[in-house]
Amino acid sequence: MRLLPWLSPGGKPCFLAGDGTGFVSRLADDVEAAQLDEAAELVEEARRVLDARTWTPGELHLLAVELTAVLANVRRVAESRGARLPASDDDGPDVDDGGDWLVDGDDALDGGDGGDGGRPRLPAEAFG
């Protein structure tokens, strides 16, 4: 399962299952790249603003809001990419499911019982 770089309309995380070659995978790659570029640009802007030492409290507040948003995006990208790294002793079974399919939110992954602290869980059949 791949954590996608956007939320559902209900504010829940979106996940993608598949071989990583479908349209949604490529779209997610493009969105992640754009989010990382935006974060890099904002960090440079933050450095300029802070180095100038002429900011107002309102400017600092806006900068903090914008940095918080891009940090959340970068964290989501890192979580998604980290989860897709192969395990150190085994990179897992090869799965050919014929493309990508979307899963919306944690409830779709864990049956909605909420007993796992909000972490995604795969059904047993996902492991062959």
Side-chain angles (χ1 to χ4, degrees), residues 2-6 28-37 39 70-84:
R2 174 183 181 173
L3 175 64
L4 293 172
W6 55 77
D29 291 341
D30 291 345
V31 170
E32 285 180 355
Q35 289 174 334
L36 294 175
D37 288 345
V70 297
L71 181 58
N73 290 340
V74 168
R75 181 174 184 255
R76 180 180 299 282
V77 170
E79 287 176 354
S80 176
R81 291 181 179 183
R84 289 181 278 142

Side-chain angles (χ1 to χ4, degrees), residues 6-90:
W6 55 77
L7 298 174
S8 73
K12 292 186 176 186
C14 294
F15 295 88
L16 177 70
D19 60 9
T21 62
F23 173 78
V24 177
S25 290
R26 291 189 306 275
L27 178 63
D29 291 341
D30 291 345
V31 170
E32 285 180 355
Q35 289 174 334
L36 294 175
D37 288 345
E38 179 186 14
E41 291 171 10
L42 188 57
V43 166
E44 289 304 313
E45 176 66 17
R47 286 185 177 132
R48 283 191 295 276
V49 167
L50 295 174
D51 286 346
R53 297 187 185 271
T54 58
W55 32 260
T56 66
E59 289 170 326
L60 280 183
H61 176 74
L62 178 60
L63 183 60
V65 168
E66 291 174 342
L67 286 170
T68 300
V70 297
L71 181 58
N73 290 340
V74 168
R75 181 174 184 255
R76 180 180 299 282
V77 170
E79 287 176 354
S80 176
R81 291 181 179 183
R84 289 181 278 142
L85 290 175
S88 59
D89 59 343
D90 181 9

